[in-house]
Amino acid sequence: MGILCLVIGLIILMVMCMKGIHIFISVFTASLFLAVTAWMTSPDTLNPIDAILRVYTGGLGGYFGSFFFIFVLGAIFGKLTAISGAADSVASFIIGKFGERAVIPSLVAACAILAYGGVSVFVALFTVYSMMVSMFKKANLPRRLIPAVYFAGAGTFVMIMPGSPQIQNLIPMKFLGTSATAGLVPGMLTALFQVTLVILYLSWLFKKVKASGEGWVDDEKTAQKGSEAKSRPMPHVVIALLPMIILLLVLNVLKLDPAIALFSAIIAALIIYVNFLNWKEIVGNLAAGTMEGVTSLFNTAVIVGFGALVMALPAFKESFQAIAQSGMSPLLVTAIAVGALVFISGSGSGALSIAMPLIASMFPAAVVDQGALHRVATMACMSTTPPFNGLIITVLSVCGVNHKQAYGPVGILTLAIPLIAMVFMLLLYTFLPASITSLGG
């Protein structure tokens, strides 16, 4: 009965999110349903009031405090790359060099470089969107495939690559004592494998679309969005990349805390982009970046609270214990546990923050290589992304399409291909020598 109620709670959350209802209202409704039904079916469990006020808010508050600086500083850095024109400069350079000859690869590369350079996936979306609209129109490609191309670059292999400054690669560091380059060889090989699948799939998809005769159709909303870009002086691409390179160096070479790396990148951006910033509005822009980071953090923390509540349910505890005591390898247990939490919560970073303390306590360094746990957990958090994931909902909304129109290819790129890549990574850890798989930890 408990498992059935958990499934119904997930369906409630999925339907509400896909209907566009605010994430907090959706999550709170599903949480309240689970809290009440768990208490009704198991009276010895927490009563609904304690479940919400203690468990749910405890999970939310704990995550908010632990990752405040990473989210806020990351958002401020992204804001600086946007208002200085640095992000536009990088994207324009790549697309200008290859766009006319290879529309899709150039857009994928632009999104990937921005994401690996530390630009928030939300900021990267708004940076490349107008250019994607323009190039899709020129190439006569359907608007519904813009989200797929965006996720192919910013939301697949880049997120799980060793050295990435994205939150999915940073969270395991706090719990395992690893570095951002943990699992270097398996991570890079899996990223290469994943990007190969992505390119093959996109090539097949766009050939199919071209053969069907489907093309671009204007509408007022997206036409207006696509024309909003303003001409302004931008830093040269080399200058634009410098703060991003500094971020990667401080994080991966000096191996300092992610918050320190992001703060260093912010200082570097303020100095290097000095001639491209409107200093009269800098305080307002930094405040706006701060609020964007807080909003993103809150939306994720809301989901973490839901995950904490789910973890307190007898049905979840029984299921998790069954997985942990199944005799499977620590890496397979990690992949299943994190993947299940991602699908339950809709958030990769939220699932990691919930699962990693348990995984770290169950599998210490004496039992398994912590770098391997780090890389498998990061891969797992990207391998079961559900359709009600917040970024997916945001991207579809910005692009002016709905799930029915656009989710098919997005699902292949954010769910099917990552699942295959997850299996590939586990096979690497099974057959490659430990001396190779432990590099980069």
Side-chain angles (χ1 to χ4, degrees):
M1 185 63 180
I3 295 293
L4 177 61
C5 291
L6 177 57
V7 171
I8 294 173
L10 292 177
I11 293 173
I12 291 172
L13 175 60
M14 185 181 302
V15 170
M16 292 183 72
C17 287
M18 292 181 70
K19 289 286 186 181
I21 299 173
H22 190 274
I23 187 65
F24 176 73
I25 297 174
S26 302
V27 168
F28 185 78
T29 302
S31 298
L32 192 59
F33 170 82
L34 289 179
V36 171
T37 54
W39 180 65
M40 291 174 63
T41 56
S42 302
D44 57 332
T45 191
L46 284 174
N47 65 68
I49 294 176
D50 284 340
I52 296 297
L53 296 184
R54 287 171 50 194
V55 179
Y56 176 81
T57 56
L60 187 157
Y63 184 86
F64 197 96
S66 296
F67 296 98
F68 176 80
F69 281 110
I70 291 179
F71 270 83
V72 170
L73 294 177
I76 291 174
F77 177 66
K79 191 72 172 179
L80 288 173
T81 64
I83 63 176
S84 65
D88 284 335
S89 176
V90 174
S92 298
F93 174 80
I94 297 169
I95 294 169
K97 288 291 183 182
F98 307 106
E100 295 301 323
R101 298 192 300 271
V103 173
I104 304 308
S106 63
L107 288 172
V108 170
C111 295
I113 289 174
L114 289 175
Y116 198 76
V119 178
S120 159
V121 287
F122 291 96
V123 173
L125 169 64
F126 292 102
T127 298
V128 300
Y129 178 73
S130 60
M131 285 179 279
M132 292 178 83
V133 168
S134 175
M135 295 183 69
F136 265 60
K137 288 178 69 173
K138 288 179 181 178
N140 193 31
L141 298 171
R143 181 190 298 109
R144 68 179 181 86
L145 296 183
I146 290 179
V149 173
Y150 175 74
F151 277 108
T156 55
F157 61 95
V158 168
M159 311 299 280
I160 60 97
M161 284 177 64
S164 172
Q166 294 296 333
I167 189 71
Q168 291 81 359
N169 190 45
L170 303 183
I171 290 176
M173 295 169 58
K174 283 183 168 288
F175 301 103
L176 300 173
T178 49
S179 70
T181 56
L184 181 64
V185 175
M188 285 300 185
L189 290 176
T190 302
L192 179 62
F193 175 73
Q194 191 170 7
V195 75
T196 301
L197 294 182
V198 166
I199 292 171
L200 289 174
Y201 172 69
L202 287 181
S203 299
W204 171 84
L205 177 64
F206 280 93
K207 284 181 181 178
K208 179 182 177 183
V209 168
K210 285 279 191 181
S212 70
E214 184 182 2
W216 181 267
V217 177
D218 271 315
D219 72 6
E220 184 176 346
K221 180 179 178 181
T222 52
Q224 182 179 1
K225 282 184 181 177
S227 63
E228 284 178 355
K230 299 177 181 179
S231 59
R232 58 174 175 174
M234 295 187 298
H236 187 274
V237 65
V238 175
I239 295 175
L241 284 170
L242 284 178
M244 302 180 196
I245 294 172
I246 289 171
L247 168 58
L248 294 174
L249 289 175
V250 174
L251 180 64
N252 297 306
V253 178
L254 299 182
K255 298 187 182 300
L256 296 181
D257 187 89
I260 296 175
L262 286 165
F263 183 75
S264 302
I266 290 171
I267 299 301
L270 289 171
I271 296 171
I272 294 170
Y273 300 154
V274 61
N275 294 326
F276 303 95
L277 296 170
N278 185 338
W279 289 93
K280 293 181 180 179
E281 299 178 0
I282 192 67
V283 173
N285 282 319
L286 292 179
T290 300
M291 290 311 301
E292 289 171 6
V294 170
T295 299
S296 178
L297 173 58
F298 175 76
N299 289 340
T300 304
V302 162
I303 295 175
V304 172
F306 177 75
L309 179 62
V310 169
M311 286 177 59
L313 299 178
F316 177 84
K317 291 180 179 178
E318 292 169 6
S319 301
F320 191 86
Q321 287 175 359
I323 295 171
Q325 298 171 4
S326 64
M328 294 185 293
S329 72
L331 297 185
L332 187 55
V333 170
T334 297
I336 294 173
V338 173
L341 278 170
V342 171
F343 199 83
I344 288 171
S345 67
S347 167
S349 56
L352 280 176
S353 69
I354 295 166
M356 291 317 298
L358 294 173
I359 290 169
S361 63
M362 288 169 52
F363 306 122
V367 175
V368 65
D369 174 37
Q370 301 295 281
L373 282 182
H374 176 138
R375 192 53 49 206
V376 168
T378 299
M379 182 70 245
C381 89
M382 300 299 296
S383 64
T384 54
T385 307
F388 55 86
N389 171 265
L391 180 60
I392 289 178
I393 292 173
T394 299
V395 171
L396 297 187
S397 174
V398 169
C399 295
V401 293
N402 56 37
H403 277 76
K404 182 178 180 181
Q405 295 169 316
Y407 182 72
V410 170
I412 297 294
L413 291 163
T414 61
L415 185 57
I417 288 177
L419 270 174
I420 296 171
M422 179 77 262
V423 174
F424 179 80
M425 177 177 284
L426 290 172
L427 290 173
L428 290 177
Y429 274 109
T430 300
F431 294 108
L432 287 178
S435 58
I436 295 178
T437 60
S438 61
L439 293 175

